[in-house]
Amino acid sequence: MKVYTLGTSHGDSTMTRLNSCYVYEAGDKTTYCVDAGAPAEALIRRQGLKIRDISALFVTHLHDDHAGGLVGLMKQSMKYPDGRQKPIDLFLPESLAQYTLEAWMATLHLPIRADAIRFHVTGEGLCYEDGNVRVSAIRTRHLLRDGHPVSFAYVLHFKKENVKILHTGDLRADFSDFPAVALEEPFDLCLCEATHYRPESAAPILRRAKFSRLIFVHVWDEWADDAGEARFLSHFSGTQYPMQFAHDGDVFTL
């Protein structure tokens, strides 16, 4: 299977990094997206992937850099339905989002068709399963509404390849909501954000994580060049698995 890091910036796009958008491709070429920061549909097509092959899209939280490209992606799904076997299952972390998206799409004269998009509200635990992947959601406290967490990390277990991935989403500044499952179960890969905390806060926890490999995404400006990457990674000396930074357009094979 393959992992595409299409957009790897923090809350603002930069000259070299665009907003958060990640694609996981199973062996049969079916794809699964986590986050759709703008310009998600353009990044997906530029990589040579097909929007009609997306089976499900999981939004970690409703900040613009993670969800601002949803309208463009939904438009493309409705505009080019040929070859699609079923609607894209779109998992939103707040129920308010469906109403808002439907209203905005109607304003743009693009009413949502049920054969193109199927809405779900993400909840804790198992949220999606098909022949390729089993996806579970873990609440984080990066984003709160009325004091309640409305942001998620995701565990993706690709069954045929027997590959298990942790996608952290954005975390709190003290790293206290890093998913505890990473200390309890082995993972083949973790995609971990690198903006909202200092590396010295994360190092003691990540040294204990049971990963085979970790890739940092959602990269803050301080770490965005070669020297910055080296400074960041220097805090993790003694970690027993490889760590690296992703860049826009990288493809990782597992």
Side-chain angles (χ1 to χ4, degrees):
M1 63 166 297
K2 293 181 178 179
V3 180
Y4 299 83
T5 59
L6 303 182
T8 60
S9 187
H10 52 80
D12 304 317
S13 58
T14 71
M15 292 295 290
T16 58
R17 295 180 185 271
L18 298 176
N19 290 161
S20 294
C21 183
Y22 309 96
V23 172
Y24 296 91
E25 182 183 69
D28 67 354
K29 304 302 183 183
T30 303
T31 55
Y32 306 84
C33 297
V34 176
D35 286 338
E41 54 91 11
L43 293 173
I44 289 168
R45 287 187 289 127
R46 182 172 290 181
Q47 189 65 54
L49 301 169
K50 294 181 172 60
I51 290 171
R52 71 184 184 197
D53 292 333
I54 299 172
S55 184
L57 193 162
F58 306 91
V59 179
T60 60
H61 63 287
L62 290 172
H63 277 155
D64 176 71
D65 56 312
H66 295 259
L70 281 174
V71 167
L73 197 152
M74 290 191 294
K75 181 192 77 171
Q76 292 298 318
S77 178
M78 293 186 294
K79 189 175 181 180
Y80 301 108
D82 293 346
R84 171 165 293 285
Q85 300 300 310
K86 68 179 188 65
I88 295 176
D89 285 301
L90 174 55
F91 288 82
L92 298 166
E94 301 182 59
S95 57
L96 174 65
Q98 177 178 345
Y99 167 79
T100 306
L101 281 169
E102 288 175 335
W104 182 235
M105 294 291 280
T107 301
L108 298 176
H109 302 277
L110 292 167
I112 295 172
R113 297 201 320 267
D115 65 327
I117 303 292
R118 186 161 53 198
F119 289 102
H120 308 267
V121 179
T122 305
E124 184 91 15
L126 178 66
C127 61
Y128 178 85
E129 187 169 14
D130 64 15
N132 287 316
V133 67
R134 177 185 174 94
V135 181
S136 298
I138 301 170
R139 289 191 187 276
T140 66
R141 294 185 61 81
H142 172 71
L143 185 60
L144 307 177
R145 186 180 293 278
D146 300 325
H148 300 288
V150 286
S151 51
F152 289 89
Y154 289 100
V155 172
L156 302 95
H157 184 193
F158 285 85
K159 295 179 282 190
K160 295 176 183 176
E161 295 89 348
N162 194 26
V163 169
K164 191 161 66 170
I165 298 168
L166 174 63
H167 190 114
T168 71
D170 291 1
L171 302 168
R172 289 183 67 81
D174 61 3
F175 212 64
S176 61
D177 57 343
F178 182 77
V181 67
L183 310 181
E184 302 162 356
E185 301 176 16
F187 285 83
D188 298 282
L189 175 66
C190 174
L191 260 63
C192 183
E193 68 111 338
T195 287
H196 296 100
Y197 57 87
R198 300 301 299 177
E200 51 268 35
S201 299
I205 297 173
L206 289 182
R207 288 196 189 99
R208 296 165 49 209
K210 298 182 178 182
F211 298 142
S212 295
R213 184 180 187 182
L214 184 146
I215 298 171
F216 288 107
V217 295
H218 197 67
V219 180
W220 181 242
D221 291 342
E222 186 175 352
W223 322 121
D225 58 16
D226 290 345
E229 289 183 17
R231 286 196 308 275
F232 187 94
L233 293 174
S234 69
H235 290 274
F236 299 93
S237 60
T239 303
Q240 299 301 307
Y241 52 85
M243 294 177 159
Q244 67 187 105
F245 276 77
H247 306 86
D248 286 18
D250 282 351
V251 183
F252 302 93
T253 301
L254 299 176

